[in-house]
Amino acid sequence: MFLEAFGSAVLGLLLGWAAFHRLSHRLPSRPLVLSTGVAGALFGDFVTHSALGTDSILPGLLGAAVVSAASLSLLLRPAGRLRRRSAPA
C-alpha cells in the first residue's frame, strides 16, 4: 500500500512537472501546479483503491493519472485575451 501511494505521488509530480513545462504560460505558480498534481494523484489512487480493492497496482495508478490530469486541467487559464463584445443596441 505504501509503494502504491508513493508511486501515485511520483506519477502526480511527473504529470505536474510535464504540465508546467509544456503550458507554463497558461498555469499559475510552479509549487501550486506540482502540489495539485500530487494531491490529485493521491486522491485518485485512494478512490480507485476504495472502489476496486487491492488486486493490482495498475488500476490504482491509472485512476491516479486520470484524477491528477483532471485536477491539473482545472488550473488552466485561457490562452489569449478574452474578447467581450458589446450587446447590439
Side-chain angles (χ1 to χ4, degrees):
M1 175 107 174
F2 175 74
L3 288 176
E4 186 176 359
F6 182 72
S8 296
V10 169
L11 179 64
L13 189 64
L14 288 174
L15 285 173
W17 177 83
F20 190 79
H21 180 68
R22 185 115 168 111
L23 301 167
S24 62
H25 61 285
R26 295 183 58 195
L27 288 168
S29 67
R30 181 182 300 208
L32 179 65
V33 172
L34 294 179
S35 61
T36 301
V38 171
L42 288 173
F43 183 69
D45 183 40
F46 171 72
V47 169
T48 307
H49 185 77
S50 297
L52 299 179
T54 61
D55 294 332
S56 177
I57 198 169
L58 187 62
L61 290 178
L62 183 63
V66 168
V67 175
S68 179
S71 60
L72 285 170
S73 73
L74 295 174
L75 295 177
L76 285 174
R77 292 181 278 196
R81 189 173 179 181
L82 293 177
R83 296 182 189 177
R84 294 188 181 178
R85 295 185 180 188
S86 61

Coordinates of all heavy atoms in Angstrom, one line a residue:
M1 N 0.8 -1.2 0.0 CA 0.0 0.0 0.0 C 0.9 1.3 0.0 O 0.6 2.2 -0.7 CB -0.9 0.0 1.2 CG -1.7 1.2 1.4 SD -3.4 0.8 1.0 CE -4.1 2.4 1.4
F2 N 2.0 1.2 0.8 CA 2.8 2.4 0.8 C 3.5 2.6 -0.6 O 3.6 3.8 -1.0 CB 3.9 2.2 1.9 CG 5.0 3.3 1.9 CD1 4.7 4.5 2.4 CD2 6.2 3.1 1.3 CE1 5.6 5.5 2.4 CE2 7.1 4.1 1.3 CZ 6.8 5.3 1.8
L3 N 3.9 1.5 -1.2 CA 4.5 1.7 -2.5 C 3.5 2.2 -3.6 O 3.9 3.0 -4.5 CB 5.1 0.4 -3.0 CG 6.4 0.0 -2.3 CD1 6.8 -1.4 -2.8 CD2 7.5 1.0 -2.5
E4 N 2.3 1.8 -3.4 CA 1.2 2.3 -4.3 C 1.0 3.8 -4.2 O 0.9 4.5 -5.1 CB -0.1 1.5 -4.1 CG -1.2 1.9 -5.1 CD -2.4 1.0 -4.9 OE1 -2.4 0.2 -4.0 OE2 -3.4 1.2 -5.6
A5 N 0.9 4.2 -2.9 CA 0.8 5.7 -2.6 C 2.0 6.5 -3.1 O 1.9 7.5 -3.7 CB 0.5 5.9 -1.2
F6 N 3.2 5.9 -2.8 CA 4.4 6.6 -3.3 C 4.5 6.7 -4.8 O 4.9 7.7 -5.4 CB 5.6 5.8 -2.7 CG 6.9 6.5 -3.1 CD1 7.3 7.7 -2.5 CD2 7.8 5.9 -4.0 CE1 8.5 8.3 -2.8 CE2 9.0 6.5 -4.3 CZ 9.4 7.7 -3.7
G7 N 4.1 5.6 -5.5 CA 4.1 5.6 -6.9 C 3.1 6.6 -7.5 O 3.4 7.3 -8.5
S8 N 2.0 6.7 -6.8 CA 1.0 7.7 -7.3 C 1.5 9.1 -7.1 O 1.2 10.0 -7.9 CB -0.3 7.5 -6.5 OG -0.9 6.2 -6.8
A9 N 2.1 9.3 -5.9 CA 2.7 10.7 -5.7 C 3.7 11.0 -6.7 O 3.8 12.2 -7.2 CB 3.2 10.8 -4.3
V10 N 4.6 10.1 -7.0 CA 5.6 10.4 -8.1 C 5.0 10.6 -9.4 O 5.4 11.5 -10.2 CB 6.6 9.2 -8.1 CG1 7.6 9.3 -9.3 CG2 7.4 9.2 -6.8
L11 N 4.0 9.8 -9.7 CA 3.3 10.0 -11.0 C 2.6 11.4 -11.1 O 2.7 12.1 -12.1 CB 2.2 8.9 -11.2 CG 1.3 9.0 -12.4 CD1 2.2 8.7 -13.7 CD2 0.3 7.9 -12.4
G12 N 2.0 11.8 -10.0 CA 1.4 13.1 -10.0 C 2.4 14.2 -10.1 O 2.2 15.3 -10.7
L13 N 3.6 14.0 -9.4 CA 4.6 15.0 -9.5 C 5.2 15.1 -11.0 O 5.4 16.2 -11.5 CB 5.8 14.6 -8.6 CG 6.9 15.6 -8.4 CD1 6.4 16.9 -7.8 CD2 8.0 15.0 -7.5
L14 N 5.3 14.0 -11.6 CA 5.7 14.0 -13.0 C 4.7 14.6 -14.0 O 5.1 15.4 -14.9 CB 6.0 12.5 -13.5 CG 7.3 11.9 -12.9 CD1 7.4 10.4 -13.4 CD2 8.5 12.6 -13.4
L15 N 3.4 14.3 -13.7 CA 2.4 15.0 -14.5 C 2.3 16.5 -14.3 O 2.2 17.2 -15.3 CB 1.0 14.3 -14.2 CG 0.8 13.0 -14.8 CD1 -0.5 12.4 -14.3 CD2 0.8 13.0 -16.3
G16 N 2.5 16.9 -13.1 CA 2.5 18.3 -12.8 C 3.7 19.0 -13.4 O 3.6 20.1 -13.9
W17 N 4.9 18.3 -13.3 CA 6.1 18.9 -14.0 C 5.9 19.0 -15.5 O 6.3 20.0 -16.1 CB 7.3 18.1 -13.6 CG 8.6 18.6 -14.3 CD1 9.4 19.6 -13.8 CD2 9.1 18.1 -15.5 NE1 10.4 19.8 -14.7 CE2 10.2 18.9 -15.8 CE3 8.7 17.1 -16.4 CZ2 11.0 18.7 -16.9 CZ3 9.5 17.0 -17.6 CH2 10.6 17.7 -17.8
A18 N 5.4 18.0 -16.1 CA 5.2 18.0 -17.5 C 4.2 19.1 -17.9 O 4.4 19.7 -19.0 CB 4.7 16.6 -18.0
A19 N 3.1 19.2 -17.2 CA 2.1 20.2 -17.5 C 2.7 21.6 -17.4 O 2.5 22.5 -18.2 CB 0.9 20.1 -16.6
F20 N 3.5 21.8 -16.3 CA 4.1 23.2 -16.1 C 5.2 23.4 -17.2 O 5.3 24.6 -17.7 CB 4.7 23.3 -14.7 CG 5.1 24.7 -14.4 CD1 4.2 25.6 -14.0 CD2 6.4 25.1 -14.6 CE1 4.6 26.9 -13.8 CE2 6.8 26.4 -14.3 CZ 5.9 27.3 -13.9
H21 N 5.9 22.4 -17.5 CA 7.0 22.6 -18.6 C 6.3 22.9 -19.9 O 6.9 23.7 -20.7 CB 7.8 21.3 -18.6 CG 8.9 21.4 -19.7 ND1 10.0 22.2 -19.5 CD2 9.1 20.7 -20.8 CE1 10.8 22.0 -20.6 NE2 10.2 21.1 -21.4
R22 N 5.2 22.2 -20.2 CA 4.6 22.4 -21.5 C 3.7 23.6 -21.6 O 3.6 24.3 -22.7 CB 3.8 21.2 -21.8 CG 3.2 21.1 -23.2 CD 3.8 20.0 -24.0 NE 3.0 19.7 -25.1 CZ 3.5 20.0 -26.4 NH1 4.7 20.5 -26.5 NH2 2.7 19.8 -27.4
L23 N 3.0 23.9 -20.5 CA 2.0 25.0 -20.5 C 2.3 26.1 -19.5 O 1.3 26.6 -18.8 CB 0.6 24.4 -20.3 CG 0.1 23.3 -21.3 CD1 -1.1 22.6 -20.8 CD2 -0.2 24.0 -22.6
S24 N 3.5 26.4 -19.3 CA 3.8 27.4 -18.2 C 3.2 28.7 -18.4 O 2.9 29.4 -17.4 CB 5.3 27.5 -18.1 OG 5.9 28.1 -19.3
H25 N 2.9 29.1 -19.6 CA 2.3 30.5 -19.8 C 0.8 30.5 -19.5 O 0.2 31.6 -19.4 CB 2.5 30.9 -21.3 CG 1.9 29.9 -22.3 ND1 2.4 28.7 -22.6 CD2 0.8 30.0 -23.0 CE1 1.7 28.1 -23.5 NE2 0.6 28.9 -23.8
R26 N 0.2 29.3 -19.3 CA -1.2 29.2 -19.0 C -1.5 28.7 -17.6 O -2.7 28.6 -17.3 CB -1.9 28.3 -20.0 CG -1.9 28.9 -21.4 CD -2.6 28.1 -22.4 NE -4.0 27.9 -22.0 CZ -4.8 27.0 -22.5 NH1 -4.4 26.2 -23.4 NH2 -6.1 26.9 -22.1
L27 N -0.5 28.5 -16.8 CA -0.7 27.9 -15.5 C -0.2 28.9 -14.4 O 0.7 29.7 -14.7 CB 0.1 26.6 -15.3 CG -0.5 25.4 -16.1 CD1 0.5 24.3 -16.1 CD2 -1.8 25.0 -15.5
P28 N -0.7 28.8 -13.2 CA -0.2 29.6 -12.1 C 1.2 29.2 -11.7 O 1.9 28.4 -12.4 CB -1.2 29.5 -11.0 CG -2.0 28.2 -11.3 CD -1.8 28.0 -12.8
S29 N 1.6 29.5 -10.5 CA 3.0 29.2 -10.0 C 3.3 27.7 -10.0 O 2.4 26.9 -9.8 CB 3.2 29.8 -8.6 OG 2.3 29.1 -7.7
R30 N 4.6 27.4 -10.1 CA 5.1 26.0 -10.1 C 4.7 25.2 -8.9 O 4.2 24.1 -9.0 CB 6.6 26.0 -10.4 CG 7.1 24.6 -10.5 CD 8.6 24.6 -10.6 NE 8.9 25.3 -11.9 CZ 10.0 25.1 -12.6 NH1 10.8 24.1 -12.2 NH2 10.2 25.7 -13.7
P31 N 4.9 25.8 -7.7 CA 4.5 25.0 -6.5 C 3.1 24.6 -6.4 O 2.7 23.5 -6.0 CB 4.9 25.8 -5.3 CG 5.9 26.8 -5.8 CD 5.6 27.0 -7.3
L32 N 2.2 25.5 -6.9 CA 0.8 25.1 -6.9 C 0.5 24.0 -7.9 O -0.3 23.1 -7.6 CB 0.0 26.4 -7.2 CG -1.6 26.2 -7.3 CD1 -2.1 25.8 -6.0 CD2 -2.2 27.4 -7.8
V33 N 1.1 24.1 -9.1 CA 0.9 23.1 -10.1 C 1.4 21.7 -9.6 O 0.7 20.7 -9.7 CB 1.5 23.5 -11.4 CG1 1.4 22.4 -12.4 CG2 0.8 24.7 -12.0
L34 N 2.6 21.7 -9.0 CA 3.2 20.4 -8.6 C 2.3 19.8 -7.4 O 2.1 18.6 -7.4 CB 4.6 20.6 -8.2 CG 5.6 21.0 -9.3 CD1 7.0 21.2 -8.7 CD2 5.6 20.0 -10.4
S35 N 1.9 20.6 -6.5 CA 1.2 20.1 -5.4 C -0.2 19.7 -5.8 O -0.8 18.7 -5.3 CB 1.1 21.1 -4.2 OG 0.4 22.3 -4.7
T36 N -0.8 20.3 -6.8 CA -2.1 19.9 -7.3 C -2.0 18.6 -8.0 O -2.9 17.7 -7.9 CB -2.7 21.0 -8.3 OG1 -2.8 22.2 -7.5 CG2 -4.0 20.5 -8.8
G37 N -0.9 18.4 -8.7 CA -0.7 17.1 -9.4 C -0.5 16.0 -8.4 O -1.1 14.9 -8.6
V38 N 0.2 16.2 -7.3 CA 0.4 15.1 -6.3 C -0.9 14.9 -5.6 O -1.3 13.7 -5.4 CB 1.6 15.5 -5.4 CG1 1.6 14.6 -4.2 CG2 2.9 15.6 -6.1
A39 N -1.6 15.9 -5.2 CA -2.8 15.7 -4.4 C -3.9 15.0 -5.3 O -4.6 14.2 -4.8 CB -3.3 17.1 -3.9
G40 N -4.0 15.4 -6.5 CA -4.9 14.8 -7.4 C -4.6 13.3 -7.6 O -5.5 12.4 -7.6
A41 N -3.3 13.0 -7.7 CA -2.9 11.6 -7.9 C -3.2 10.8 -6.7 O -3.7 9.6 -6.8 CB -1.4 11.5 -8.3
L42 N -2.9 11.3 -5.5 CA -3.2 10.6 -4.3 C -4.7 10.4 -4.1 O -5.1 9.3 -3.6 CB -2.6 11.3 -3.1 CG -1.1 11.2 -3.0 CD1 -0.6 12.1 -1.9 CD2 -0.6 9.8 -2.8
F43 N -5.5 11.4 -4.4 CA -6.9 11.2 -4.3 C -7.4 10.2 -5.3 O -8.3 9.4 -4.9 CB -7.6 12.6 -4.4 CG -9.1 12.5 -4.2 CD1 -9.6 12.3 -3.0 CD2 -9.9 12.7 -5.3 CE1 -11.0 12.2 -2.8 CE2 -11.3 12.6 -5.2 CZ -11.8 12.4 -3.9
G44 N -6.9 10.3 -6.5 CA -7.4 9.3 -7.5 C -7.0 7.9 -7.1 O -7.8 7.0 -7.3
D45 N -5.8 7.7 -6.6 CA -5.4 6.4 -6.1 C -6.3 5.9 -5.0 O -6.7 4.7 -4.9 CB -4.0 6.4 -5.7 CG -3.5 5.0 -5.3 OD1 -3.9 4.0 -5.9 OD2 -2.7 4.9 -4.3
F46 N -6.6 6.8 -4.0 CA -7.5 6.4 -2.9 C -8.9 6.0 -3.4 O -9.4 5.0 -3.0 CB -7.6 7.6 -2.0 CG -8.6 7.4 -0.9 CD1 -8.4 6.6 0.2 CD2 -9.8 8.1 -0.9 CE1 -9.4 6.4 1.1 CE2 -10.8 8.0 0.1 CZ -10.5 7.1 1.1
V47 N -9.5 6.8 -4.3 CA -10.8 6.5 -4.8 C -10.8 5.1 -5.6 O -11.6 4.3 -5.4 CB -11.3 7.6 -5.7 CG1 -12.6 7.2 -6.4 CG2 -11.6 8.8 -4.8
T48 N -9.8 5.0 -6.4 CA -9.7 3.7 -7.2 C -9.4 2.5 -6.3 O -10.0 1.5 -6.5 CB -8.6 3.8 -8.2 OG1 -8.8 5.0 -9.0 CG2 -8.5 2.6 -9.1
H49 N -8.6 2.7 -5.3 CA -8.3 1.6 -4.4 C -9.5 1.3 -3.5 O -9.8 0.1 -3.3 CB -7.1 2.0 -3.5 CG -6.7 0.9 -2.5 ND1 -5.9 -0.1 -3.0 CD2 -6.9 0.7 -1.2 CE1 -5.7 -0.9 -1.9 NE2 -6.2 -0.4 -0.9
S50 N -10.3 2.3 -3.2 CA -11.5 2.0 -2.4 C -12.6 1.3 -3.2 O -13.3 0.5 -2.7 CB -12.1 3.3 -1.8 OG -11.2 3.9 -1.0
A51 N -12.7 1.7 -4.5 CA -13.7 1.1 -5.3 C -13.4 -0.3 -5.8 O -14.3 -1.1 -5.9 CB -13.9 2.0 -6.5
L52 N -12.1 -0.5 -6.2 CA -11.8 -1.8 -6.8 C -11.1 -2.8 -5.9 O -11.0 -4.0 -6.2 CB -10.8 -1.5 -8.0 CG -11.4 -0.7 -9.1 CD1 -10.4 -0.5 -10.2 CD2 -12.7 -1.3 -9.7
G53 N -10.5 -2.3 -4.8 CA -9.9 -3.2 -3.8 C -8.4 -3.3 -4.1 O -7.8 -2.4 -4.7
T54 N -7.7 -4.3 -3.5 CA -6.3 -4.4 -3.5 C -5.7 -5.4 -4.5 O -4.7 -6.0 -4.2 CB -5.8 -4.7 -2.1 OG1 -6.3 -6.0 -1.7 CG2 -6.2 -3.6 -1.1
D55 N -6.4 -5.7 -5.6 CA -5.9 -6.7 -6.5 C -4.6 -6.4 -7.2 O -3.7 -7.2 -7.2 CB -7.0 -7.0 -7.6 CG -8.3 -7.6 -6.9 OD1 -8.2 -8.2 -5.9 OD2 -9.4 -7.4 -7.5
S56 N -4.5 -5.2 -7.8 CA -3.4 -4.9 -8.6 C -3.0 -3.4 -8.4 O -3.9 -2.6 -8.0 CB -3.7 -5.2 -10.1 OG -2.6 -4.8 -10.9
I57 N -1.8 -3.1 -8.8 CA -1.4 -1.7 -8.6 C -1.7 -0.9 -9.9 O -1.8 0.4 -9.8 CB 0.1 -1.6 -8.3 CG1 0.5 -0.3 -7.7 CG2 1.0 -2.0 -9.5 CD1 1.9 -0.3 -7.2
L58 N -1.9 -1.5 -11.0 CA -2.1 -0.8 -12.3 C -3.4 0.0 -12.3 O -3.3 1.2 -12.7 CB -2.0 -1.8 -13.4 CG -2.1 -1.2 -14.8 CD1 -0.9 -0.3 -15.1 CD2 -2.1 -2.3 -15.9
P59 N -4.5 -0.5 -11.9 CA -5.7 0.3 -11.8 C -5.6 1.5 -10.9 O -6.1 2.6 -11.2 CB -6.8 -0.6 -11.4 CG -6.3 -2.0 -11.6 CD -4.8 -1.9 -11.5
G60 N -4.9 1.4 -9.8 CA -4.7 2.5 -8.9 C -3.9 3.6 -9.6 O -4.2 4.8 -9.4
L61 N -2.8 3.2 -10.3 CA -2.0 4.2 -11.0 C -2.8 4.8 -12.1 O -2.6 6.0 -12.4 CB -0.7 3.6 -11.5 CG 0.3 3.2 -10.4 CD1 1.5 2.5 -11.1 CD2 0.7 4.4 -9.6
L62 N -3.6 4.1 -12.8 CA -4.4 4.6 -13.9 C -5.4 5.6 -13.3 O -5.6 6.7 -13.9 CB -5.2 3.5 -14.6 CG -6.0 4.0 -15.8 CD1 -5.1 4.6 -16.9 CD2 -6.8 2.8 -16.4
G63 N -6.1 5.3 -12.2 CA -7.0 6.2 -11.6 C -6.3 7.5 -11.1 O -6.8 8.6 -11.1
A64 N -5.1 7.3 -10.6 CA -4.3 8.4 -10.1 C -3.9 9.4 -11.2 O -4.0 10.6 -11.1 CB -3.0 7.9 -9.4
A65 N -3.6 8.8 -12.4 CA -3.2 9.6 -13.6 C -4.4 10.4 -14.1 O -4.3 11.6 -14.4 CB -2.6 8.7 -14.7
V66 N -5.6 9.7 -14.1 CA -6.8 10.4 -14.6 C -7.2 11.6 -13.7 O -7.5 12.7 -14.2 CB -8.0 9.4 -14.8 CG1 -9.3 10.0 -15.0 CG2 -7.6 8.4 -15.9
V67 N -7.3 11.3 -12.4 CA -7.7 12.4 -11.5 C -6.7 13.5 -11.4 O -7.0 14.7 -11.3 CB -8.0 11.8 -10.1 CG1 -8.4 12.9 -9.1 CG2 -9.2 10.8 -10.2
S68 N -5.4 13.2 -11.5 CA -4.4 14.2 -11.5 C -4.4 15.1 -12.7 O -4.4 16.3 -12.6 CB -3.0 13.5 -11.4 OG -2.0 14.5 -11.4
A69 N -4.6 14.5 -13.9 CA -4.8 15.2 -15.1 C -6.0 16.1 -15.1 O -6.0 17.3 -15.5 CB -4.8 14.3 -16.3
A70 N -7.1 15.6 -14.5 CA -8.3 16.4 -14.4 C -8.2 17.5 -13.5 O -8.6 18.7 -13.8 CB -9.5 15.5 -14.0
S71 N -7.5 17.3 -12.4 CA -7.3 18.4 -11.4 C -6.3 19.5 -12.0 O -6.5 20.7 -11.7 CB -6.9 17.9 -10.1 OG -5.6 17.2 -10.2
L72 N -5.3 19.0 -12.7 CA -4.4 20.0 -13.4 C -5.1 20.8 -14.4 O -4.8 22.0 -14.6 CB -3.2 19.3 -13.9 CG -2.2 18.8 -12.9 CD1 -1.2 17.9 -13.6 CD2 -1.5 19.9 -12.2
S73 N -6.0 20.2 -15.1 CA -6.7 20.9 -16.2 C -7.6 22.0 -15.6 O -7.9 23.0 -16.3 CB -7.6 20.0 -17.0 OG -8.7 19.5 -16.3
L74 N -8.0 21.9 -14.4 CA -8.8 23.0 -13.8 C -8.0 24.2 -13.5 O -8.5 25.3 -13.3 CB -9.4 22.5 -12.4 CG -10.4 21.4 -12.6 CD1 -10.9 20.9 -11.2 CD2 -11.6 21.9 -13.4
L75 N -6.6 24.1 -13.5 CA -5.8 25.3 -13.3 C -5.5 26.1 -14.5 O -5.0 27.2 -14.4 CB -4.5 24.8 -12.7 CG -4.5 24.2 -11.3 CD1 -3.1 23.7 -10.9 CD2 -5.0 25.2 -10.3
L76 N -5.8 25.6 -15.7 CA -5.5 26.3 -16.9 C -6.3 27.6 -17.1 O -7.5 27.7 -16.8 CB -5.8 25.4 -18.1 CG -4.9 24.2 -18.4 CD1 -5.4 23.3 -19.5 CD2 -3.5 24.8 -18.7
R77 N -5.6 28.6 -17.6 CA -6.2 29.8 -17.9 C -6.3 30.0 -19.4 O -5.7 29.2 -20.2 CB -5.3 31.0 -17.4 CG -5.2 31.1 -15.9 CD -4.3 32.2 -15.5 NE -2.9 31.7 -15.6 CZ -1.9 32.3 -15.0 NH1 -2.1 33.5 -14.4 NH2 -0.7 31.9 -15.1
P78 N -7.2 30.8 -19.9 CA -7.4 31.0 -21.3 C -6.1 31.4 -22.0 O -5.2 32.1 -21.4 CB -8.4 32.1 -21.5 CG -9.1 32.2 -20.2 CD -8.1 31.7 -19.1
A79 N -5.9 30.9 -23.2 CA -4.6 31.2 -24.0 C -4.5 32.6 -24.4 O -3.5 33.2 -24.2 CB -4.5 30.3 -25.2
G80 N -5.5 33.2 -24.9 CA -5.5 34.5 -25.4 C -6.3 35.5 -24.6 O -6.9 35.1 -23.5
R81 N -6.3 36.7 -25.0 CA -7.1 37.7 -24.3 C -8.6 37.5 -24.6 O -8.9 37.3 -25.8 CB -6.7 39.1 -24.7 CG -7.3 40.1 -23.9 CD -6.7 41.5 -24.3 NE -7.3 42.5 -23.5 CZ -7.0 43.8 -23.6 NH1 -6.1 44.2 -24.4 NH2 -7.6 44.6 -22.8
L82 N -9.4 37.5 -23.6 CA -10.8 37.4 -23.8 C -11.4 38.6 -24.5 O -11.2 39.7 -24.1 CB -11.6 37.1 -22.5 CG -11.2 35.8 -21.8 CD1 -12.0 35.7 -20.5 CD2 -11.7 34.6 -22.7
R83 N -12.2 38.4 -25.5 CA -12.8 39.5 -26.2 C -14.3 39.6 -25.8 O -15.0 38.6 -25.8 CB -12.8 39.3 -27.7 CG -11.4 39.3 -28.3 CD -11.5 39.1 -29.8 NE -10.1 38.9 -30.3 CZ -9.8 38.7 -31.5 NH1 -10.8 38.6 -32.4 NH2 -8.6 38.5 -31.9
R84 N -14.6 40.7 -25.3 CA -16.0 41.0 -24.9 C -16.7 41.9 -26.0 O -16.2 43.0 -26.2 CB -16.1 41.6 -23.6 CG -15.6 40.7 -22.5 CD -15.8 41.2 -21.2 NE -15.3 40.3 -20.1 CZ -15.3 40.6 -18.9 NH1 -15.8 41.7 -18.4 NH2 -14.8 39.7 -18.0
R85 N -17.7 41.4 -26.5 CA -18.5 42.2 -27.5 C -19.6 42.9 -26.8 O -20.3 42.3 -25.9 CB -19.0 41.3 -28.6 CG -17.9 40.7 -29.4 CD -18.5 39.9 -30.5 NE -17.5 39.3 -31.3 CZ -17.7 38.7 -32.4 NH1 -18.9 38.6 -32.9 NH2 -16.7 38.1 -33.1
S86 N -19.8 44.1 -27.2 CA -21.0 44.8 -26.6 C -22.3 44.3 -27.2 O -22.3 43.8 -28.3 CB -20.8 46.3 -26.8 OG -20.8 46.6 -28.2
A87 N -23.3 44.4 -26.4 CA -24.6 43.9 -26.9 C -25.1 44.9 -28.0 O -24.8 46.1 -27.9 CB -25.6 43.9 -25.8
P88 N -25.8 44.4 -29.0 CA -26.3 45.3 -30.0 C -27.3 46.2 -29.5 O -28.1 45.9 -28.6 CB -26.9 44.3 -31.0 CG -26.9 43.0 -30.5 CD -26.1 43.0 -29.3
A89 N -27.3 47.4 -29.9 CA -28.2 48.4 -29.4 C -29.5 48.3 -30.0 O -29.9 47.8 -30.9 CB -27.6 49.8 -29.7

